[in-house]
Amino acid sequence: MFLQVAIDEATRGSAIKTASSLCNISNIDFIEIGNPLISNYGVSSIDFFQELIPSKRLYADLKISDFPELILPFYLSKGIKRFSVLCSLNDSALLNVLKISDKFGAKVYVSTIGYPLSALEARIRAILKLGFHNIICHGSDSNLSDAFSDLQKRLYICSQVTDSRMIAAGGITPNNFSIISAYYLQGIIVGRGITRTNDPEHSVRLFKEMISNER
């Protein structure tokens, strides 16, 4: 199970400050360039991080919702090898995502963030048939506990689809990780549960210890 830390800062200065505090923590498998920064700065947001972090450790939370063929190549040509798109993309667009990611040798993750829970299982099954396997069960809310509650619902729904490789994101902290540890997760994505703590390195160690205990 991998540990990915999301930097969800919206400005260049704050993002670089957070990245600087994380880049030398070896226990972090991947560092995520969060969507707020990408929304504000576009493809140049990648440059902010590559001076600090090798491209192989970077992940771009692109949340592309349309026309991936016009957007995605700009990011992948920068050396990004891991990225996400939204499960609300139509099937034709998702197939374009696969084609482009294969061309660049990149790994694509499909995020369920904001997708209606009532239709989520059917959508996941359809996405798997298209050739995707890495599904981010992504809970969302400005409140950590509510984001975690949304995550739990998405994990339960996605766990009914046995072929999916689930990644958990949304409101995860060292105190609640054990609640979701029973799921066969490929990885977890943690933002505020690490970056907004007084000692991010200590929080990373806690997560890695708990992950190791699950193996």
Side-chain angles (χ1 to χ4, degrees):
M1 186 190 306
F2 66 78
L3 172 62
Q4 180 167 303
V5 179
I7 298 178
D8 287 325
E9 309 292 348
T11 65
R12 178 182 184 275
S14 57
I16 290 177
K17 181 179 179 181
T18 302
S20 297
S21 70
L22 298 174
C23 64
N24 292 320
I25 303 177
S26 59
N27 285 339
I28 298 174
D29 297 299
F30 304 103
I31 293 178
E32 176 181 316
I33 306 172
N35 191 256
L37 196 73
I38 291 172
S39 295
N40 285 341
Y41 295 92
V43 71
S44 65
S45 60
I46 307 300
D47 299 330
F48 305 159
F49 289 82
Q50 286 181 321
E51 294 180 4
L52 297 169
I53 303 161
S55 293
K56 65 181 181 180
R57 290 186 70 198
L58 288 176
Y59 171 104
D61 185 22
L62 299 182
K63 288 192 172 71
I64 292 173
S65 58
D66 212 348
F67 303 112
E69 65 276 8
L70 300 180
I71 301 169
L72 192 50
F74 289 102
Y75 289 91
L76 300 190
S77 64
K78 287 277 189 178
I80 292 296
K81 295 298 184 184
R82 297 162 59 88
F83 67 94
S84 63
V85 297
L86 294 175
C87 70
S88 55
L89 271 174
N90 63 51
D91 289 359
S92 177
L94 282 172
L95 289 173
N96 279 337
V97 168
L98 270 185
K99 185 184 299 184
I100 297 165
S101 62
D102 287 346
K103 177 181 177 181
F104 285 89
K107 183 176 287 188
V108 55
Y109 294 77
V110 181
S111 174
T112 69
I113 191 168
Y115 201 83
L117 294 174
S118 59
L120 184 57
E121 183 176 344
R123 186 60 184 144
I124 295 302
R125 292 188 185 279
I127 286 170
L128 292 176
K129 287 182 179 179
L130 292 175
F132 294 88
H133 298 286
N134 300 303
I135 307 298
I136 303 176
C137 301
H138 198 152
S140 64
D141 197 279
S142 58
N143 180 277
L144 274 176
S145 61
D146 290 340
F148 188 73
S149 177
D150 188 29
L151 164 62
Q152 288 178 271
K153 295 171 185 175
R154 293 174 188 278
L155 280 171
Y156 176 76
I157 292 169
C158 290
S159 70
Q160 307 306 301
V161 185
T162 56
D163 293 335
S164 66
R165 294 198 286 263
M166 297 189 300
I167 296 92
I172 303 171
T173 70
N175 293 329
N176 62 25
F177 171 74
S178 62
I179 297 173
I180 61 172
S181 62
Y183 291 100
Y184 294 102
L185 298 172
Q186 298 295 309
I188 58 172
I189 301 173
V190 184
R192 291 170 287 178
I194 289 175
T195 61
R196 301 294 170 86
T197 62
N198 292 328
D199 189 347
E201 187 168 5
H202 176 67
S203 298
V204 168
R205 284 200 302 270
L206 285 178
F207 274 114
K208 294 298 281 191
E209 287 171 6
M210 289 186 287
I211 287 172
S212 295
N213 291 336
E214 293 302 317
R215 290 173 180 170

